[in-house]
């Protein structure tokens, strides 16, 4: 399938995890006019899930891209994240409203705790998230970079249901323990850096499967995540990459191929700050 064939994929056929389309556009390190252009291109290609964050410093540009696209706002699943310095109760309420202003929207579909670090306090932080949920400013509560123990506490203390835990996840970091905990608590897994910052392109098993299907290693990795029930939000800026990732929706891996990827004996964690809960 060539890149132009992405036009033939109906966005309505994109699998969903509840209300959340299972393929989205990540916007980390995407700034300037390119960011708005990427968001518009993705939406007009068929994406219906856009992911940003306060810390990305591009919420206004993401909002511009949504506004420019020939897609209704109500059809876009829009997610942002509250930075770790803004997680006291009052700061959550204030900065979330600022995020909505920058995005140019009345609500976001999903609001994440970006990291359980710095000003994060489970009861205080998630109480504020629940207040935003009750006010209709956010449709869903999410957490990000939570280990099983943090997730257990969050599910227990948050009055609003937690839809998703966004973590780095890809064939070189399959996150079995986190995925098992999420399944136990009925929380969806969202994968950031789903291509391991490009490392999947050099992995022999993924290369072999990609060659057999005549597709890119990116498509294989994204299809593997989908087979696991994981939502992926790969970053892409140019039209070709945006379309190539979208075409992963048409790639079906057989059980033998999934098992071969599962058996990859390599580990690559791309995001590993000192304040992360696993350190």
């Amino acid at each position: 399938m060539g890149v132009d064939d992405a036009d033939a994929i109906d966005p309505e056929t994109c699998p969903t995890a509840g209300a959340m389309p299972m393929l989205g556009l990540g916007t980390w390190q995407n700034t300037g006019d390119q960011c708005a252009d990427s968001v518009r291109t993705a939406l007009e290609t068929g994406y219906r899930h856009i992911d940003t964050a306060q810390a990305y410093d591009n919420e206004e540009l993401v909002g511009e891209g949504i506004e420019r696209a020939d897609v209704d706002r109500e059809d876009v699943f829009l997610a942002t994240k509250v930075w770790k310095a803004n997680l006291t109760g009052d700061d959550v309420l204030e900065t979330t409203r600022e995020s909505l202003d920058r995005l140019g929207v009345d609500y976001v579909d999903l609001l994440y705790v970006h990291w359980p670090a710095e000003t994060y306090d489970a009861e205080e932080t998630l109480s504020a998230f629940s207040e935003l949920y009750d006010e209709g400013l956010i449709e869903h509560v999410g957490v990000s970079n939570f280990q099983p123990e943090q997730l257990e506490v969050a599910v227990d203390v948050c009055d609003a249901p937690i839809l998703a835990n966004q973590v780095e996840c890809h064939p070189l970091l399959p996150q079995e323990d986190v995925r098992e905990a999420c399944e136990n608590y009925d929380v969806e897994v969202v994968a950031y850096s789903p291509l391991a910052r490009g490392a999947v392109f050099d992995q022999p098993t993924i290369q072999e499967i990609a060659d057999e299907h005549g597709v890119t290693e990116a498509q294989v990795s994204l299809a593997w995540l989908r087979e696991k029930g994981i939502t992926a939000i790969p970053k892409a800026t140019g039209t070709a990459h945006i379309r190539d990732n979208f075409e992963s929706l048409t790639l079906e891996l057989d059980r033998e191929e999934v098992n071969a990827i599962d058996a990859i004996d390599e580990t690559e964690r791309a995001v590993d700050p000192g304040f992360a809960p696993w350190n």
Side-chain angles (χ1 to χ4, degrees), residues 28-29 56 114-115 145 166-173 192-202 218 221 233-235 268-273:
W28 177 72
Q29 288 191 334
Y56 298 172
H114 203 155
W115 290 90
N145 298 298
Q166 185 180 132
V167 297
E168 180 181 350
C169 189
H170 44 73
L172 308 184
L173 190 70
Y192 69 75
S193 297
L195 309 180
R197 304 276 176 88
V200 298
F201 289 90
D202 299 320
S221 297
I233 50 168
K235 174 192 172 183
E268 178 81 25
R269 185 185 284 278
V271 180
D272 194 19

PDB file of all heavy atoms in Angstrom, residues 28-29 56 114-115 145 166-173 192-202 218 221 233-235 268-273:
ATOM      1  N   TRP A  28       4.877  15.922  20.875  1.00  0.00           N
ATOM      2  CA  TRP A  28       6.059  16.302  21.648  1.00  0.00           C
ATOM      3  C   TRP A  28       7.136  16.838  20.706  1.00  0.00           C
ATOM      4  O   TRP A  28       7.387  16.281  19.633  1.00  0.00           O
ATOM      5  CB  TRP A  28       6.576  15.099  22.428  1.00  0.00           C
ATOM      6  CG  TRP A  28       7.821  15.349  23.205  1.00  0.00           C
ATOM      7  CD1 TRP A  28       7.950  16.088  24.341  1.00  0.00           C
ATOM      8  CD2 TRP A  28       9.130  14.839  22.911  1.00  0.00           C
ATOM      9  NE1 TRP A  28       9.253  16.079  24.776  1.00  0.00           N
ATOM     10  CE2 TRP A  28      10.012  15.321  23.913  1.00  0.00           C
ATOM     11  CE3 TRP A  28       9.647  14.022  21.900  1.00  0.00           C
ATOM     12  CZ2 TRP A  28      11.376  15.008  23.929  1.00  0.00           C
ATOM     13  CZ3 TRP A  28      10.987  13.721  21.910  1.00  0.00           C
ATOM     14  CH2 TRP A  28      11.838  14.213  22.929  1.00  0.00           C
ATOM     15  N   GLN A  29       7.759  17.941  21.092  1.00  0.00           N
ATOM     16  CA  GLN A  29       8.815  18.597  20.316  1.00  0.00           C
ATOM     17  C   GLN A  29       8.349  19.038  18.928  1.00  0.00           C
ATOM     18  O   GLN A  29       9.155  19.179  18.010  1.00  0.00           O
ATOM     19  CB  GLN A  29      10.053  17.697  20.191  1.00  0.00           C
ATOM     20  CG  GLN A  29      10.833  17.579  21.488  1.00  0.00           C
ATOM     21  CD  GLN A  29      12.186  16.914  21.303  1.00  0.00           C
ATOM     22  OE1 GLN A  29      12.396  16.131  20.371  1.00  0.00           O
ATOM     23  NE2 GLN A  29      13.110  17.195  22.197  1.00  0.00           N
ATOM     24  N   TYR A  56       4.725  20.701  26.594  1.00  0.00           N
ATOM     25  CA  TYR A  56       5.174  20.723  25.202  1.00  0.00           C
ATOM     26  C   TYR A  56       5.215  22.141  24.641  1.00  0.00           C
ATOM     27  O   TYR A  56       5.792  22.361  23.571  1.00  0.00           O
ATOM     28  CB  TYR A  56       4.254  19.878  24.315  1.00  0.00           C
ATOM     29  CG  TYR A  56       4.189  18.419  24.642  1.00  0.00           C
ATOM     30  CD1 TYR A  56       3.265  17.593  24.009  1.00  0.00           C
ATOM     31  CD2 TYR A  56       5.025  17.836  25.600  1.00  0.00           C
ATOM     32  CE1 TYR A  56       3.177  16.242  24.290  1.00  0.00           C
ATOM     33  CE2 TYR A  56       4.934  16.486  25.899  1.00  0.00           C
ATOM     34  CZ  TYR A  56       4.009  15.699  25.252  1.00  0.00           C
ATOM     35  OH  TYR A  56       3.907  14.360  25.539  1.00  0.00           O
ATOM     36  N   HIS A 114       0.667  14.273  34.243  1.00  0.00           N
ATOM     37  CA  HIS A 114       1.792  13.947  33.358  1.00  0.00           C
ATOM     38  C   HIS A 114       2.797  13.011  34.035  1.00  0.00           C
ATOM     39  O   HIS A 114       3.280  12.057  33.414  1.00  0.00           O
ATOM     40  CB  HIS A 114       2.480  15.235  32.907  1.00  0.00           C
ATOM     41  CG  HIS A 114       3.237  15.104  31.634  1.00  0.00           C
ATOM     42  ND1 HIS A 114       3.496  16.166  30.792  1.00  0.00           N
ATOM     43  CD2 HIS A 114       3.808  14.026  31.032  1.00  0.00           C
ATOM     44  CE1 HIS A 114       4.167  15.748  29.742  1.00  0.00           C
ATOM     45  NE2 HIS A 114       4.389  14.454  29.865  1.00  0.00           N
ATOM     46  N   TRP A 115       3.142  13.295  35.278  1.00  0.00           N
ATOM     47  CA  TRP A 115       4.064  12.447  36.048  1.00  0.00           C
ATOM     48  C   TRP A 115       3.614  12.448  37.518  1.00  0.00           C
ATOM     49  O   TRP A 115       3.253  13.510  38.045  1.00  0.00           O
ATOM     50  CB  TRP A 115       5.498  12.983  36.004  1.00  0.00           C
ATOM     51  CG  TRP A 115       6.198  12.874  34.690  1.00  0.00           C
ATOM     52  CD1 TRP A 115       6.207  13.801  33.689  1.00  0.00           C
ATOM     53  CD2 TRP A 115       7.000  11.780  34.235  1.00  0.00           C
ATOM     54  NE1 TRP A 115       6.967  13.349  32.638  1.00  0.00           N
ATOM     55  CE2 TRP A 115       7.470  12.122  32.946  1.00  0.00           C
ATOM     56  CE3 TRP A 115       7.391  10.557  34.806  1.00  0.00           C
ATOM     57  CZ2 TRP A 115       8.293  11.277  32.202  1.00  0.00           C
ATOM     58  CZ3 TRP A 115       8.212   9.723  34.071  1.00  0.00           C
ATOM     59  CH2 TRP A 115       8.658  10.069  32.784  1.00  0.00           C
ATOM     60  N   ASN A 145       2.741   7.700  33.086  1.00  0.00           N
ATOM     61  CA  ASN A 145       3.979   7.250  33.725  1.00  0.00           C
ATOM     62  C   ASN A 145       3.744   6.678  35.116  1.00  0.00           C
ATOM     63  O   ASN A 145       4.629   6.731  35.976  1.00  0.00           O
ATOM     64  CB  ASN A 145       4.991   8.406  33.788  1.00  0.00           C
ATOM     65  CG  ASN A 145       5.388   8.896  32.414  1.00  0.00           C
ATOM     66  OD1 ASN A 145       5.952   8.153  31.625  1.00  0.00           O
ATOM     67  ND2 ASN A 145       5.057  10.150  32.112  1.00  0.00           N
ATOM     68  N   GLN A 166      -0.905   6.545  30.334  1.00  0.00           N
ATOM     69  CA  GLN A 166      -0.014   6.734  29.186  1.00  0.00           C
ATOM     70  C   GLN A 166       1.424   6.488  29.625  1.00  0.00           C
ATOM     71  O   GLN A 166       1.926   7.164  30.523  1.00  0.00           O
ATOM     72  CB  GLN A 166      -0.159   8.150  28.611  1.00  0.00           C
ATOM     73  CG  GLN A 166       0.656   8.355  27.353  1.00  0.00           C
ATOM     74  CD  GLN A 166       0.513   9.749  26.766  1.00  0.00           C
ATOM     75  OE1 GLN A 166       1.510  10.390  26.438  1.00  0.00           O
ATOM     76  NE2 GLN A 166      -0.722  10.223  26.614  1.00  0.00           N
ATOM     77  N   VAL A 167       2.067   5.526  28.991  1.00  0.00           N
ATOM     78  CA  VAL A 167       3.432   5.142  29.333  1.00  0.00           C
ATOM     79  C   VAL A 167       4.218   4.888  28.055  1.00  0.00           C
ATOM     80  O   VAL A 167       3.637   4.661  26.987  1.00  0.00           O
ATOM     81  CB  VAL A 167       3.465   3.860  30.208  1.00  0.00           C
ATOM     82  CG1 VAL A 167       2.781   4.085  31.544  1.00  0.00           C
ATOM     83  CG2 VAL A 167       2.826   2.676  29.473  1.00  0.00           C
ATOM     84  N   GLU A 168       5.533   4.944  28.151  1.00  0.00           N
ATOM     85  CA  GLU A 168       6.344   4.506  27.024  1.00  0.00           C
ATOM     86  C   GLU A 168       6.117   3.008  26.821  1.00  0.00           C
ATOM     87  O   GLU A 168       6.241   2.213  27.753  1.00  0.00           O
ATOM     88  CB  GLU A 168       7.829   4.769  27.288  1.00  0.00           C
ATOM     89  CG  GLU A 168       8.711   4.327  26.130  1.00  0.00           C
ATOM     90  CD  GLU A 168      10.195   4.548  26.384  1.00  0.00           C
ATOM     91  OE1 GLU A 168      10.539   5.223  27.384  1.00  0.00           O
ATOM     92  OE2 GLU A 168      11.012   4.039  25.592  1.00  0.00           O
ATOM     93  N   CYS A 169       5.783   2.630  25.612  1.00  0.00           N
ATOM     94  CA  CYS A 169       5.517   1.217  25.340  1.00  0.00           C
ATOM     95  C   CYS A 169       5.739   0.944  23.862  1.00  0.00           C
ATOM     96  O   CYS A 169       5.279   1.704  22.995  1.00  0.00           O
ATOM     97  CB  CYS A 169       4.079   0.858  25.735  1.00  0.00           C
ATOM     98  SG  CYS A 169       3.715  -0.918  25.699  1.00  0.00           S
ATOM     99  N   HIS A 170       6.466  -0.132  23.581  1.00  0.00           N
ATOM    100  CA  HIS A 170       6.786  -0.531  22.213  1.00  0.00           C
ATOM    101  C   HIS A 170       7.399  -1.927  22.273  1.00  0.00           C
ATOM    102  O   HIS A 170       7.585  -2.476  23.387  1.00  0.00           O
ATOM    103  CB  HIS A 170       7.748   0.474  21.567  1.00  0.00           C
ATOM    104  CG  HIS A 170       8.878   0.917  22.459  1.00  0.00           C
ATOM    105  ND1 HIS A 170       9.944   0.085  22.766  1.00  0.00           N
ATOM    106  CD2 HIS A 170       9.100   2.082  23.119  1.00  0.00           C
ATOM    107  CE1 HIS A 170      10.778   0.728  23.563  1.00  0.00           C
ATOM    108  NE2 HIS A 170      10.291   1.946  23.805  1.00  0.00           N
ATOM    109  N   PRO A 171       7.722  -2.556  21.151  1.00  0.00           N
ATOM    110  CA  PRO A 171       8.252  -3.916  21.196  1.00  0.00           C
ATOM    111  C   PRO A 171       9.534  -4.076  22.000  1.00  0.00           C
ATOM    112  O   PRO A 171       9.850  -5.196  22.434  1.00  0.00           O
ATOM    113  CB  PRO A 171       8.491  -4.239  19.719  1.00  0.00           C
ATOM    114  CG  PRO A 171       7.458  -3.441  18.995  1.00  0.00           C
ATOM    115  CD  PRO A 171       7.403  -2.152  19.755  1.00  0.00           C
ATOM    116  N   LEU A 172      10.276  -2.991  22.223  1.00  0.00           N
ATOM    117  CA  LEU A 172      11.509  -3.079  23.009  1.00  0.00           C
ATOM    118  C   LEU A 172      11.281  -2.683  24.466  1.00  0.00           C
ATOM    119  O   LEU A 172      12.217  -2.720  25.261  1.00  0.00           O
ATOM    120  CB  LEU A 172      12.594  -2.184  22.381  1.00  0.00           C
ATOM    121  CG  LEU A 172      12.846  -2.399  20.885  1.00  0.00           C
ATOM    122  CD1 LEU A 172      13.995  -1.521  20.405  1.00  0.00           C
ATOM    123  CD2 LEU A 172      13.130  -3.868  20.592  1.00  0.00           C
ATOM    124  N   LEU A 173      10.075  -2.313  24.818  1.00  0.00           N
ATOM    125  CA  LEU A 173       9.694  -2.023  26.204  1.00  0.00           C
ATOM    126  C   LEU A 173       8.214  -2.365  26.348  1.00  0.00           C
ATOM    127  O   LEU A 173       7.348  -1.491  26.391  1.00  0.00           O
ATOM    128  CB  LEU A 173       9.951  -0.550  26.555  1.00  0.00           C
ATOM    129  CG  LEU A 173       9.809  -0.183  28.038  1.00  0.00           C
ATOM    130  CD1 LEU A 173      10.948  -0.798  28.869  1.00  0.00           C
ATOM    131  CD2 LEU A 173       9.770   1.324  28.215  1.00  0.00           C
ATOM    132  N   TYR A 192       3.204   6.116  24.475  1.00  0.00           N
ATOM    133  CA  TYR A 192       3.992   7.175  23.846  1.00  0.00           C
ATOM    134  C   TYR A 192       5.337   6.603  23.422  1.00  0.00           C
ATOM    135  O   TYR A 192       5.739   5.519  23.856  1.00  0.00           O
ATOM    136  CB  TYR A 192       4.142   8.399  24.755  1.00  0.00           C
ATOM    137  CG  TYR A 192       5.001   8.271  25.996  1.00  0.00           C
ATOM    138  CD1 TYR A 192       6.390   8.252  25.923  1.00  0.00           C
ATOM    139  CD2 TYR A 192       4.424   8.238  27.267  1.00  0.00           C
ATOM    140  CE1 TYR A 192       7.184   8.182  27.059  1.00  0.00           C
ATOM    141  CE2 TYR A 192       5.208   8.167  28.421  1.00  0.00           C
ATOM    142  CZ  TYR A 192       6.583   8.143  28.308  1.00  0.00           C
ATOM    143  OH  TYR A 192       7.362   8.071  29.453  1.00  0.00           O
ATOM    144  N   SER A 193       6.033   7.300  22.550  1.00  0.00           N
ATOM    145  CA  SER A 193       7.267   6.799  21.925  1.00  0.00           C
ATOM    146  C   SER A 193       7.074   5.361  21.431  1.00  0.00           C
ATOM    147  O   SER A 193       7.903   4.478  21.702  1.00  0.00           O
ATOM    148  CB  SER A 193       8.444   6.874  22.914  1.00  0.00           C
ATOM    149  OG  SER A 193       8.712   8.198  23.278  1.00  0.00           O
ATOM    150  N   PRO A 194       5.993   5.097  20.684  1.00  0.00           N
ATOM    151  CA  PRO A 194       5.696   3.712  20.294  1.00  0.00           C
ATOM    152  C   PRO A 194       6.662   3.132  19.268  1.00  0.00           C
ATOM    153  O   PRO A 194       6.606   1.930  18.991  1.00  0.00           O
ATOM    154  CB  PRO A 194       4.283   3.816  19.712  1.00  0.00           C
ATOM    155  CG  PRO A 194       4.210   5.207  19.177  1.00  0.00           C
ATOM    156  CD  PRO A 194       4.984   6.036  20.164  1.00  0.00           C
ATOM    157  N   LEU A 195       7.551   3.969  18.745  1.00  0.00           N
ATOM    158  CA  LEU A 195       8.581   3.491  17.824  1.00  0.00           C
ATOM    159  C   LEU A 195       9.958   3.513  18.474  1.00  0.00           C
ATOM    160  O   LEU A 195      10.982   3.394  17.800  1.00  0.00           O
ATOM    161  CB  LEU A 195       8.589   4.335  16.542  1.00  0.00           C
ATOM    162  CG  LEU A 195       7.227   4.503  15.851  1.00  0.00           C
ATOM    163  CD1 LEU A 195       7.362   5.343  14.601  1.00  0.00           C
ATOM    164  CD2 LEU A 195       6.605   3.147  15.557  1.00  0.00           C
ATOM    165  N   ALA A 196       9.993   3.662  19.805  1.00  0.00           N
ATOM    166  CA  ALA A 196      11.242   3.675  20.573  1.00  0.00           C
ATOM    167  C   ALA A 196      12.223   4.705  20.031  1.00  0.00           C
ATOM    168  O   ALA A 196      13.415   4.460  19.932  1.00  0.00           O
ATOM    169  CB  ALA A 196      11.882   2.283  20.606  1.00  0.00           C
ATOM    170  N   ARG A 197      11.681   5.874  19.681  1.00  0.00           N
ATOM    171  CA  ARG A 197      12.498   6.958  19.116  1.00  0.00           C
ATOM    172  C   ARG A 197      13.316   6.473  17.918  1.00  0.00           C
ATOM    173  O   ARG A 197      14.467   6.847  17.726  1.00  0.00           O
ATOM    174  CB  ARG A 197      13.414   7.565  20.187  1.00  0.00           C
ATOM    175  CG  ARG A 197      12.686   8.092  21.422  1.00  0.00           C
ATOM    176  CD  ARG A 197      12.182   9.507  21.201  1.00  0.00           C
ATOM    177  NE  ARG A 197      11.399   9.983  22.327  1.00  0.00           N
ATOM    178  CZ  ARG A 197      11.917  10.596  23.397  1.00  0.00           C
ATOM    179  NH1 ARG A 197      13.227  10.794  23.475  1.00  0.00           N
ATOM    180  NH2 ARG A 197      11.146  11.014  24.375  1.00  0.00           N
ATOM    181  N   GLY A 198      12.728   5.592  17.132  1.00  0.00           N
ATOM    182  CA  GLY A 198      13.368   5.109  15.916  1.00  0.00           C
ATOM    183  C   GLY A 198      14.124   3.805  16.055  1.00  0.00           C
ATOM    184  O   GLY A 198      14.544   3.230  15.044  1.00  0.00           O
ATOM    185  N   ALA A 199      14.289   3.294  17.274  1.00  0.00           N
ATOM    186  CA  ALA A 199      15.070   2.070  17.461  1.00  0.00           C
ATOM    187  C   ALA A 199      14.417   0.857  16.804  1.00  0.00           C
ATOM    188  O   ALA A 199      15.111  -0.096  16.423  1.00  0.00           O
ATOM    189  CB  ALA A 199      15.281   1.803  18.954  1.00  0.00           C
ATOM    190  N   VAL A 200      13.096   0.859  16.636  1.00  0.00           N
ATOM    191  CA  VAL A 200      12.436  -0.296  16.024  1.00  0.00           C
ATOM    192  C   VAL A 200      12.863  -0.474  14.566  1.00  0.00           C
ATOM    193  O   VAL A 200      12.793  -1.584  14.027  1.00  0.00           O
ATOM    194  CB  VAL A 200      10.900  -0.181  16.117  1.00  0.00           C
ATOM    195  CG1 VAL A 200      10.443  -0.151  17.575  1.00  0.00           C
ATOM    196  CG2 VAL A 200      10.377   1.031  15.357  1.00  0.00           C
ATOM    197  N   PHE A 201      13.317   0.595  13.929  1.00  0.00           N
ATOM    198  CA  PHE A 201      13.704   0.490  12.524  1.00  0.00           C
ATOM    199  C   PHE A 201      14.958  -0.368  12.342  1.00  0.00           C
ATOM    200  O   PHE A 201      15.212  -0.865  11.237  1.00  0.00           O
ATOM    201  CB  PHE A 201      13.941   1.881  11.933  1.00  0.00           C
ATOM    202  CG  PHE A 201      12.678   2.681  11.739  1.00  0.00           C
ATOM    203  CD1 PHE A 201      12.202   3.492  12.749  1.00  0.00           C
ATOM    204  CD2 PHE A 201      11.968   2.600  10.555  1.00  0.00           C
ATOM    205  CE1 PHE A 201      11.035   4.230  12.578  1.00  0.00           C
ATOM    206  CE2 PHE A 201      10.803   3.333  10.369  1.00  0.00           C
ATOM    207  CZ  PHE A 201      10.332   4.156  11.388  1.00  0.00           C
ATOM    208  N   ASP A 202      15.726  -0.535  13.408  1.00  0.00           N
ATOM    209  CA  ASP A 202      16.971  -1.297  13.326  1.00  0.00           C
ATOM    210  C   ASP A 202      16.846  -2.683  13.947  1.00  0.00           C
ATOM    211  O   ASP A 202      17.841  -3.400  14.057  1.00  0.00           O
ATOM    212  CB  ASP A 202      18.098  -0.532  14.028  1.00  0.00           C
ATOM    213  CG  ASP A 202      18.359   0.825  13.396  1.00  0.00           C
ATOM    214  OD1 ASP A 202      18.328   0.913  12.156  1.00  0.00           O
ATOM    215  OD2 ASP A 202      18.577   1.805  14.146  1.00  0.00           O
ATOM    216  N   ALA A 218       7.732   0.949  11.238  1.00  0.00           N
ATOM    217  CA  ALA A 218       6.785   1.720  12.051  1.00  0.00           C
ATOM    218  C   ALA A 218       5.411   1.074  12.019  1.00  0.00           C
ATOM    219  O   ALA A 218       4.755   0.910  13.064  1.00  0.00           O
ATOM    220  CB  ALA A 218       6.714   3.161  11.550  1.00  0.00           C
ATOM    221  N   SER A 221       5.331  -2.081  14.194  1.00  0.00           N
ATOM    222  CA  SER A 221       5.310  -1.800  15.630  1.00  0.00           C
ATOM    223  C   SER A 221       3.949  -1.296  16.075  1.00  0.00           C
ATOM    224  O   SER A 221       3.433  -1.691  17.130  1.00  0.00           O
ATOM    225  CB  SER A 221       6.390  -0.767  15.973  1.00  0.00           C
ATOM    226  OG  SER A 221       7.671  -1.288  15.691  1.00  0.00           O
ATOM    227  N   ILE A 233       0.278   6.690  20.110  1.00  0.00           N
ATOM    228  CA  ILE A 233       0.263   8.098  19.694  1.00  0.00           C
ATOM    229  C   ILE A 233       1.638   8.477  19.148  1.00  0.00           C
ATOM    230  O   ILE A 233       2.361   9.278  19.736  1.00  0.00           O
ATOM    231  CB  ILE A 233      -0.170   9.023  20.845  1.00  0.00           C
ATOM    232  CG1 ILE A 233       0.626   8.731  22.121  1.00  0.00           C
ATOM    233  CG2 ILE A 233      -1.658   8.905  21.113  1.00  0.00           C
ATOM    234  CD1 ILE A 233       0.453   9.794  23.193  1.00  0.00           C
ATOM    235  N   PRO A 234       2.018   7.920  17.990  1.00  0.00           N
ATOM    236  CA  PRO A 234       3.336   8.237  17.432  1.00  0.00           C
ATOM    237  C   PRO A 234       3.432   9.699  17.026  1.00  0.00           C
ATOM    238  O   PRO A 234       2.498  10.282  16.477  1.00  0.00           O
ATOM    239  CB  PRO A 234       3.419   7.330  16.198  1.00  0.00           C
ATOM    240  CG  PRO A 234       1.990   7.111  15.812  1.00  0.00           C
ATOM    241  CD  PRO A 234       1.243   7.049  17.108  1.00  0.00           C
ATOM    242  N   LYS A 235       4.600  10.278  17.290  1.00  0.00           N
ATOM    243  CA  LYS A 235       4.876  11.621  16.788  1.00  0.00           C
ATOM    244  C   LYS A 235       5.189  11.526  15.299  1.00  0.00           C
ATOM    245  O   LYS A 235       5.917  10.637  14.858  1.00  0.00           O
ATOM    246  CB  LYS A 235       6.062  12.231  17.527  1.00  0.00           C
ATOM    247  CG  LYS A 235       6.503  13.578  16.969  1.00  0.00           C
ATOM    248  CD  LYS A 235       7.841  14.009  17.536  1.00  0.00           C
ATOM    249  CE  LYS A 235       8.367  15.260  16.844  1.00  0.00           C
ATOM    250  NZ  LYS A 235       9.706  15.648  17.325  1.00  0.00           N
ATOM    251  N   GLU A 268      14.859  -1.211  25.482  1.00  0.00           N
ATOM    252  CA  GLU A 268      15.226   0.148  25.101  1.00  0.00           C
ATOM    253  C   GLU A 268      14.221   1.103  25.732  1.00  0.00           C
ATOM    254  O   GLU A 268      13.076   1.192  25.289  1.00  0.00           O
ATOM    255  CB  GLU A 268      15.209   0.296  23.573  1.00  0.00           C
ATOM    256  CG  GLU A 268      15.527   1.688  23.072  1.00  0.00           C
ATOM    257  CD  GLU A 268      17.007   1.983  23.040  1.00  0.00           C
ATOM    258  OE1 GLU A 268      17.801   1.035  22.944  1.00  0.00           O
ATOM    259  OE2 GLU A 268      17.365   3.168  23.117  1.00  0.00           O
ATOM    260  N   ARG A 269      14.636   1.773  26.816  1.00  0.00           N
ATOM    261  CA  ARG A 269      13.777   2.792  27.409  1.00  0.00           C
ATOM    262  C   ARG A 269      14.292   4.149  26.970  1.00  0.00           C
ATOM    263  O   ARG A 269      15.401   4.550  27.297  1.00  0.00           O
ATOM    264  CB  ARG A 269      13.763   2.694  28.944  1.00  0.00           C
ATOM    265  CG  ARG A 269      12.781   3.684  29.580  1.00  0.00           C
ATOM    266  CD  ARG A 269      12.853   3.661  31.097  1.00  0.00           C
ATOM    267  NE  ARG A 269      12.204   2.523  31.695  1.00  0.00           N
ATOM    268  CZ  ARG A 269      10.896   2.427  31.927  1.00  0.00           C
ATOM    269  NH1 ARG A 269      10.095   3.423  31.569  1.00  0.00           N
ATOM    270  NH2 ARG A 269      10.386   1.364  32.488  1.00  0.00           N
ATOM    271  N   ALA A 270      13.471   4.868  26.211  1.00  0.00           N
ATOM    272  CA  ALA A 270      13.901   6.144  25.643  1.00  0.00           C
ATOM    273  C   ALA A 270      13.719   7.301  26.613  1.00  0.00           C
ATOM    274  O   ALA A 270      14.446   8.288  26.543  1.00  0.00           O
ATOM    275  CB  ALA A 270      13.127   6.416  24.354  1.00  0.00           C
ATOM    276  N   VAL A 271      12.738   7.200  27.508  1.00  0.00           N
ATOM    277  CA  VAL A 271      12.410   8.292  28.432  1.00  0.00           C
ATOM    278  C   VAL A 271      12.666   7.797  29.849  1.00  0.00           C
ATOM    279  O   VAL A 271      11.962   6.913  30.338  1.00  0.00           O
ATOM    280  CB  VAL A 271      10.943   8.737  28.260  1.00  0.00           C
ATOM    281  CG1 VAL A 271      10.612   9.873  29.219  1.00  0.00           C
ATOM    282  CG2 VAL A 271      10.683   9.159  26.822  1.00  0.00           C
ATOM    283  N   ASP A 272      13.665   8.395  30.515  1.00  0.00           N
ATOM    284  CA  ASP A 272      14.083   7.862  31.816  1.00  0.00           C
ATOM    285  C   ASP A 272      14.606   8.966  32.734  1.00  0.00           C
ATOM    286  O   ASP A 272      15.764   8.940  33.163  1.00  0.00           O
ATOM    287  CB  ASP A 272      15.159   6.795  31.603  1.00  0.00           C
ATOM    288  CG  ASP A 272      15.416   5.957  32.846  1.00  0.00           C
ATOM    289  OD1 ASP A 272      14.550   5.936  33.740  1.00  0.00           O
ATOM    290  OD2 ASP A 272      16.491   5.332  32.915  1.00  0.00           O
ATOM    291  N   PRO A 273      13.762   9.953  33.082  1.00  0.00           N
ATOM    292  CA  PRO A 273      14.237  11.030  33.955  1.00  0.00           C
ATOM    293  C   PRO A 273      14.445  10.547  35.388  1.00  0.00           C
ATOM    294  O   PRO A 273      13.825   9.561  35.827  1.00  0.00           O
ATOM    295  CB  PRO A 273      13.109  12.056  33.875  1.00  0.00           C
ATOM    296  CG  PRO A 273      11.893  11.239  33.584  1.00  0.00           C
ATOM    297  CD  PRO A 273      12.351  10.128  32.684  1.00  0.00           C
TER     298      PRO A 273
END
